[in-house]
Amino acid sequence: NPHIPIIDFQRFLQGDMKQKIEVSKELFVAFTEVGFVYLKNPGIDEEKRQFMFSQALKFFELPEDVKKSCAY
């Protein structure tokens, strides 16, 4: 039964080299085996996070042909 791994990124941001390597390995496994990850404590302040969500909403409200014209 697949599940989305939850990885606490705080260990990478504030941890020692051993913790950074552990988190990196967890991310690699999550993305290569599951394809998704829930990143807990990503180190992004609330204002920036809200801005990113508002921009994503604006993008998804665009007509389909405009969205398809965007480069990946």
Side-chain angles (χ1 to χ4, degrees):
N1 186 15
H3 69 284
I4 297 175
I6 300 171
I7 298 176
D8 188 351
F9 203 63
Q10 190 76 23
R11 297 180 298 134
F12 184 90
L13 295 173
Q14 296 184 350
D16 59 21
M17 186 55 67
K18 181 180 176 186
Q19 290 171 311
K20 290 176 189 282
I21 291 169
E22 288 173 0
V23 171
S24 298
K25 288 179 180 178
E26 291 173 17
L27 285 168
F28 179 80
V29 170
F31 284 122
T32 57
E33 294 182 9
V34 179
F36 295 95
V37 64
Y38 177 92
L39 199 59
K40 181 178 170 185
N41 298 316
I44 301 171
D45 67 53
E46 185 63 25
E47 184 179 329
K48 287 182 184 175
R49 206 169 69 80
Q50 290 300 322
F51 176 75
M52 289 187 293
F53 278 115
S54 72
Q55 295 304 302
L57 287 173
K58 286 180 184 179
F59 174 79
F60 287 109
E61 290 172 351
L62 293 171
E64 194 67 28
D65 61 322
V66 175
K67 290 188 282 191
K68 286 183 178 181
S69 71
C70 295
Y72 287 35

